[in-house]
């Protein structure tokens, strides 16, 4: 069986979103085009890291091009997407590794998210070799979501992704850990429960 690649070249929509209540949210990347939708699950920290790296890469593209690249400095308001994820949200796979690249010829951001795969090895060196072979295996590698975006689409994705990450539980004013509706055990209060 050959590797499953969910490919979207300039999708109608590519967003990060959540399902569930703050504190119990599941995070997803979702691409939609031509009546098909692909949703992949990932961790909140992965969403934040992806958004930050996209912004950093776009800033570098602008810097290296001397400002001539078709990349806005910030996400344009007309590109704002606050709609929920397309329903039903059906997870194709859980993301393990992600990669970003800029295609200078076509002036497109390439986002790749590959499925989490469990590997066993006798040493760290063997594990690194096994990971590299698996990721380079176009025939039998893990499932992958590959999306190509314009600079404007990538900026809009990054802005929404950071907004989604920051929309969770409010932080404790003392320790900055997330507050649950029923409070939390605050390390700055010597283990006493702090109410929300």
């Amino acid at each position: 069986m050959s590797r499953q690649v969910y490919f979207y070249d300039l999708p109608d929509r590519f967003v990060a979103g959540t399902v569930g209540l703050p504190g119990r949210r599941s995070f997803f990347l979702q691409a939609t085009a031509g009546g098909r939708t692909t949703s992949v699950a990932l961790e909140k920290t992965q969403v934040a890291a992806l958004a930050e790296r996209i912004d950093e890469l776009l800033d570098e593209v602008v810097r290296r091009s001397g400002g001539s690249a078709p990349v806005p400095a910030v996400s344009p308001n007309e590109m704002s997407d606050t709609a929920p994820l397309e329903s039903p949200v059906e997870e194709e796979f859980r993301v393990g590794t992600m990669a970003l690249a800029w295609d200078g010829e076509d002036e497109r951001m390439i986002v790749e998210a590959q499925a989490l795969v469990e590997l066993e090895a006798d040493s760290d060196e063997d594990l690194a070799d096994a990971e590299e072979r698996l990721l380079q295996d176009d025939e039998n590698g893990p499932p992958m979501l590959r999306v190509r975006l314009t600079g404007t689409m990538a900026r809009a994705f990054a802005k929404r992704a950071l907004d989604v990450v920051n929309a969770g539980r409010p932080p404790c004013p003392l320790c900055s850990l997330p507050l649950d509706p029923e409070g939390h055990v605050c390390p700055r209060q010597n283990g006493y429960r702090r109410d929300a």
Side-chain angles (χ1 to χ4, degrees), residues 1-76:
M1 184 166 101
S2 64
R3 178 184 209 175
Q4 177 69 48
V5 177
Y6 303 91
F7 180 63
Y8 290 82
D9 191 10
L10 301 180
D12 299 332
R13 187 172 190 230
F14 180 58
V15 296
T18 62
V19 173
L21 298 173
R24 293 173 180 82
R25 299 184 297 170
S26 296
F27 288 79
F28 292 90
L29 297 179
Q30 191 176 74
T32 304
R36 71 184 177 110
T37 299
T38 302
S39 302
V40 296
L42 69 171
E43 299 297 322
K44 178 180 180 178
T45 55
Q46 289 176 296
V47 174
L50 178 61
E52 290 165 4
R53 291 293 297 132
I54 285 174
D55 273 339
E56 290 171 6
L57 182 55
L58 292 174
D59 290 345
E60 182 66 16
V61 167
V62 170
R63 187 188 69 74
R64 287 189 182 195
S65 72
S68 65
V71 176
V74 296
S75 178

Side-chain angles (χ1 to χ4, degrees), residues 38-39 59 74 81 87 99 122 128-129 132 139 148 158-159 168 183 191:
T38 302
S39 302
D59 290 345
V74 296
D81 181 347
S87 292
D122 295 330
D129 288 344
E132 187 61 31
E139 193 63 32
R148 291 171 43 90
K159 180 182 182 322

Side-chain angles (χ1 to χ4, degrees), residues 75-96:
S75 178
N77 287 336
E78 64 271 10
M79 292 294 291
S80 179
D81 181 347
T82 58
L85 295 172
E86 297 291 327
S87 292
V89 177
E90 296 176 1
E91 176 183 324
E92 297 296 339
F93 59 83
R94 177 156 288 282
V95 174

Side-chain angles (χ1 to χ4, degrees), residues 113-135:
Q114 297 187 65
L116 180 64
V117 177
E118 298 287 330
L119 295 174
E120 293 183 25
D122 295 330
S123 69
D124 287 344
E125 190 174 293
D126 290 344
L127 184 60
D129 288 344
E131 286 175 346
E132 187 61 31
R133 280 193 310 276
L134 184 63
L135 294 175

